[in-house]
Amino acid sequence: VHSFRVFPSVTTAAGFDSNVFNVDSTKSADAYFAVESKIMANSDWGRHQLDVGASARITRYASKARENNEEFGFSISGRLDVANKDAIFGRIDFRQQTESRGSGGQRLVGAEPSAFGELNAGLATRQTFGPVRLEVSASLERRVFDPVRLISGGQFDQSFRDSETIQIAPRLQFAVTPHAGIFLAATA
């Protein structure tokens, strides 16, 4: 049976924000309370590796209930040892987050803070041929903004803010000593 080390945590925070809506005029203050829970599990294996995590955060304001928000996320990453120094790596990370007022040029047009989902994923391989090591990685980063409810009613579509980045990065390294080497890397 393979074993895991598990690291749970719960944190709380209370605070006071003197400018909840992040505007220059008509500043409005409020107190808030937040609870965040996290759990991480890391494999404790001699070969291969698997790490899994999840988190959730709930924030509540004393009088400005429309600023209340919930955030969550999960992640998984791992390494498959193929040979002595060769391996395949993978990771995926998703987060549903709330954007602070005023971020990205956002102004007080929404009845609630702006929320977005963010996905990061990657796959990589590492192969060693004597003193030469070849690494190739590919990654995806995607951010999707949810529509925002307007104070006047209706919704504001934020899809123009959505983004997606795909990256491929090869790297060739030559070991000069066991602890030093020279490399050539590219990104596309």
Side-chain angles (χ1 to χ4, degrees):
V1 175
H2 297 296
S3 62
F4 282 87
R5 292 180 311 232
V6 178
F7 304 96
S9 68
V10 175
T11 56
T12 59
F16 181 80
D17 190 336
S18 63
N19 190 359
V20 174
F21 302 120
N22 196 16
V23 293
D24 294 331
S25 60
T26 335
K27 294 180 181 176
S28 184
D30 200 0
Y32 65 88
F33 180 76
V35 177
E36 183 172 18
S37 62
K38 293 182 181 180
I39 187 163
M40 286 293 302
N42 306 111
S43 65
D44 192 12
W45 309 336
R47 285 182 50 84
H48 316 301
Q49 181 178 346
L50 181 63
D51 301 323
V52 180
S55 64
R57 179 183 172 100
I58 299 171
T59 304
R60 294 290 179 258
Y61 283 81
S63 62
K64 309 234 177 338
R66 69 182 186 192
E67 297 304 302
N68 293 347
N69 61 75
E70 298 83 30
E71 299 177 320
F72 64 90
F74 70 86
S75 63
I76 184 169
S77 63
R79 182 190 73 239
L80 178 64
D81 296 322
V82 180
N84 188 24
K85 294 182 181 180
D86 300 342
I88 298 171
F89 304 86
R91 66 174 171 77
I92 188 165
D93 179 52
F94 176 79
R95 304 231 180 274
Q96 182 68 28
Q97 300 181 30
T98 303
E99 189 174 50
S100 299
R101 295 282 190 163
S103 298
Q106 179 195 40
R107 292 294 167 228
L108 187 60
V109 296
E112 60 192 8
S114 179
F116 63 94
E118 186 172 48
L119 172 70
N120 293 289
L123 189 61
T125 183
R126 177 184 68 206
Q127 291 189 325
T128 305
F129 311 95
V132 177
R133 175 185 285 178
L134 174 63
E135 298 176 6
V136 179
S137 64
S139 63
L140 166 71
E141 181 179 309
R142 184 172 193 187
R143 186 176 279 193
V144 177
F145 285 84
D146 297 344
V148 173
R149 285 187 309 118
L150 299 174
I151 294 172
S152 59
Q155 289 188 338
F156 179 68
D157 179 22
Q158 296 193 95
S159 63
F160 68 94
R161 297 181 68 195
D162 296 353
S163 64
E164 183 173 280
T165 304
I166 298 172
Q167 182 175 316
I168 298 173
R171 177 181 165 135
L172 185 64
Q173 179 176 326
F174 180 78
V176 179
T177 71
H179 303 289
I182 56 174
F183 66 91
L184 176 64
T187 303

